Amino acid sequence: MTTDYDVAIIGGGPAGSTVASYLARAVVVFESETFPRPHVGESLVPATTPVLVEIGALDKIDEADFPKKYGASWTSAESRDIPFMGYQGLSHDWSAEVQFVERDQPGVDRDYTFHVDRGRFDAILLRHAKEQGATVFNGARVRDVDFDDPEAVRLTVRFGPRDAVFTAGMVVDASGRQTTLGRQLKIKVSDPVFDQYALHTWFEDLDRQALAPNQSVADHIFVHFLPINDTWVWQIPITDRITSIGVVTQKKRFTDANADRETFFWDYVGSRPELAEALRKAQQTRPFKVEGDYSYAMKQICGDRFILIGDAARFVDPIFSSGVSVALNSARIAAHDIIAAHAAGDYAKKRFDTYENKLRRAVKYWYEFISIYYRLNVLFTAFVQDPRYRIDVLKMLQGDVYDGQEPKALAAMREVVAAVEADPDHLWHPYLGSLRAPTSAPSF
């Protein structure tokens, strides 16, 4: 049977547009929105660079003049005299910073990546996919995917008030947190631990230097710990004058507070007076926006004639800016399997084993790294600052987790957390956070 397209892609965000660029003329992309679309600003990690090079889009990202990101910094609200426990390089304020130039990364030809306005960034990637030969429909919402016909996948697509039917050899779900196939196939699993909630906005003319320990790191992404369990603030430069600020905490805290968004934001930011003071002097340029449903997994990420990539496959807490990296790298790995499956004329699930195995391992490392951060963030700071572990932690922070090798620092951090949890008299036991990833947490 002849199909309309070899591959149909649901969603034109970073994952969908990237896999479309790899597959080019054989694909169609159905995107429900019209780009550029409003989206929370985002800070990339260097693992996105090799993918942008491979699809030929890096020059366009360079030309967009997004702020360059040379590293990341963390500030602490900790005022207690926490014992250093033999770790080196620590200071009593428990702050930390890394520069990407400290470690060479395969396929990365520069010591920076970018902070991006996702509205512009996503539009560049989708336009690039179209220029490579992909067919792109905007304002096209996929309502149903029918696998009953053994010869072709049938997609019912809504255009305004009307529906149209398209056929394809297989479908790639890159629909982001809409999780089109996850919902239709009932394979979505909520994370039992990270029920996080973000409240964010943009500020103009925030004095970033006032919040940085020195001028050289003022344009880093900043994570500001708050003196509230499992709660932090992101600070991401969007332009030379615009900064994205977001509070991330447990969703139940917002519900329990019974407060409007503005009151909640300023109450939480106010727990770090220096941060609140700097923000009060800047001008808020966007209304507060909520991001929920932060962490979930899928019971399966591929099957006969379908594959899930990016946020449609898995979403974990954004503390280490993993979102776009997972989107682009999952698209890259999936594209190799899809091309081989097409050449063999066989889109059976087994054809996507390489993709499934690589992505499961990589996201598992991200998930555990994030879990350890929340469980004992003084340990994260200790490992970042200690020269014995710093480069291996930087490897994870660069997003370099797709080689199949467990990061050495992760195993060491796991052992320390287990020791602290098991010993109520351990000097770090009072600093354990309340979130603890159980064995029942999603394995992918």
Side-chain angles (χ1 to χ4, degrees):
M1 178 179 176
T2 301
T3 57
D4 297 323
Y5 298 94
D6 291 329
V7 180
I9 301 168
I10 306 173
S17 56
T18 298
V19 76
S21 290
Y22 277 111
L23 304 179
R25 299 182 185 279
V27 304
V28 60
V29 180
F30 298 109
E31 169 54 51
S32 61
E33 298 184 48
T34 300
F35 284 25
R37 57 181 178 175
H39 200 292
V40 58
E42 192 146 358
S43 192
L44 306 185
V45 296
T48 59
T49 299
V51 183
L52 294 170
V53 170
E54 282 189 3
I55 64 173
L58 186 58
D59 287 346
K60 295 173 182 176
I61 303 301
D62 274 328
E63 291 166 4
D65 200 29
F66 292 119
K68 292 181 174 62
K69 173 184 174 182
Y70 290 91
S73 296
W74 294 262
T75 71
S76 173
E78 190 57 69
S79 59
R80 293 170 291 184
D81 189 16
I82 303 174
F84 289 171
M85 299 296 297
Y87 290 96
Q88 305 168 32
L90 288 170
S91 60
H92 282 287
D93 64 3
W94 288 84
S95 60
E97 63 185 59
V98 296
Q99 302 276 359
F100 297 138
V101 72
E102 297 177 55
R103 176 184 177 270
D104 290 334
Q105 186 172 352
V108 179
D109 62 350
R110 59 196 65 199
D111 58 359
Y112 64 86
T113 180
F114 301 96
H115 306 287
V116 297
D117 174 345
R118 279 286 304 278
R120 294 177 58 215
F121 178 78
D122 291 8
I124 291 169
L125 290 186
L126 186 58
R127 185 167 60 249
H128 179 75
K130 190 173 182 179
E131 291 169 357
Q132 304 314 299
T135 300
V136 176
F137 290 108
N138 287 99
R141 182 170 64 88
V142 175
R143 299 183 61 204
D144 180 72
V145 183
D146 184 350
F147 295 97
D148 289 342
D149 187 337
E151 300 295 329
V153 180
R154 297 172 63 86
L155 296 93
T156 302
V157 184
R158 171 63 57 90
F159 294 88
R162 296 183 299 174
D163 286 347
V165 175
F166 295 82
T167 59
M170 69 167 292
V171 62
V172 176
D173 186 358
S175 61
R177 285 190 281 143
Q178 295 180 42
T179 61
T180 299
L181 282 183
R183 287 184 289 105
Q184 178 180 316
L185 301 177
K186 296 181 172 55
I187 56 175
K188 186 175 181 179
V189 181
S190 296
D191 190 294
V193 176
F194 296 112
D195 187 19
Q196 297 294 82
Y197 174 97
L199 185 60
H200 60 91
T201 184
W202 283 8
F203 286 89
E204 186 173 12
D205 293 334
L206 173 66
D207 186 354
R208 298 172 192 156
Q209 292 189 20
L211 297 172
N214 59 74
Q215 185 174 352
S216 66
V217 301
D219 287 332
H220 277 192
I221 180 175
F222 270 78
V223 171
H224 301 291
F225 297 115
L226 298 186
I228 303 167
N229 273 351
D230 314 316
T231 304
W232 54 279
V233 171
W234 77 60
Q235 175 187 319
I236 303 173
I238 300 298
T239 69
D240 58 344
R241 296 184 62 185
I242 299 294
T243 305
S244 174
I245 299 289
V247 174
V248 179
T249 190
Q250 288 278 281
K251 185 176 181 179
K252 63 183 178 182
R253 288 205 175 94
F254 186 79
T255 303
D256 293 344
N258 193 28
D260 60 65
R261 294 175 180 181
E262 182 173 4
T263 301
F264 185 87
F265 178 89
W266 288 109
D267 281 350
Y268 269 58
V269 168
S271 66
R272 290 288 301 272
E274 73 282 10
L275 176 59
E277 180 181 1
L279 290 173
R280 292 285 189 189
K281 293 177 180 177
Q283 180 182 357
Q284 184 179 339
T285 62
R286 285 188 172 185
F288 290 107
K289 186 177 179 181
V290 169
E291 302 286 342
D293 201 16
Y294 248 49
S295 294
Y296 52 80
M298 297 293 163
K299 295 177 184 177
Q300 61 183 110
I301 60 169
C302 55
D304 292 343
R305 298 183 292 165
F306 75 85
I307 195 167
L308 281 60
I309 63 175
D311 290 352
R314 181 72 158 101
F315 190 79
V316 296
D317 189 278
I319 180 67
F320 296 124
S321 304
S322 58
V324 173
S325 174
V326 171
L328 268 61
N329 279 282
S330 64
R332 172 181 60 85
I333 300 166
H336 288 291
D337 278 4
I338 293 169
I339 291 169
H342 177 262
D346 178 12
Y347 292 117
K349 182 180 185 297
K350 66 179 183 298
R351 291 286 177 180
F352 310 123
D353 284 350
T354 299
Y355 165 74
E356 182 174 14
N357 292 334
K358 284 187 176 182
L359 194 65
R360 283 189 185 279
R361 281 196 300 266
V363 178
K364 179 178 181 291
Y365 300 148
W366 274 122
Y367 185 85
E368 187 168 10
F369 192 35
I370 292 166
S371 299
I372 289 172
Y373 159 80
Y374 274 108
R375 186 60 172 150
L376 188 61
N377 56 48
V378 295
L379 176 64
F380 167 76
T381 308
F383 268 58
V384 169
Q385 297 294 70
D386 194 308
R388 294 173 296 176
Y389 305 106
R390 183 176 177 86
I391 297 301
D392 197 47
V393 173
L394 179 55
K395 180 177 187 286
M396 287 187 281
L397 294 173
Q398 290 173 324
D400 193 1
V401 295
Y402 299 95
D403 59 5
Q405 302 296 315
E406 180 179 78
K408 296 177 183 178
L410 191 58
M413 295 171 84
R414 183 189 304 129
E415 292 177 3
V416 174
V417 170
V420 175
E421 289 176 338
D423 182 4
D425 295 325
H426 195 289
L427 294 178
W428 275 359
H429 198 272
Y431 307 102
L432 287 170
S434 60
L435 294 187
R436 181 178 182 180
T439 56
S440 61
S443 60
F444 168 63

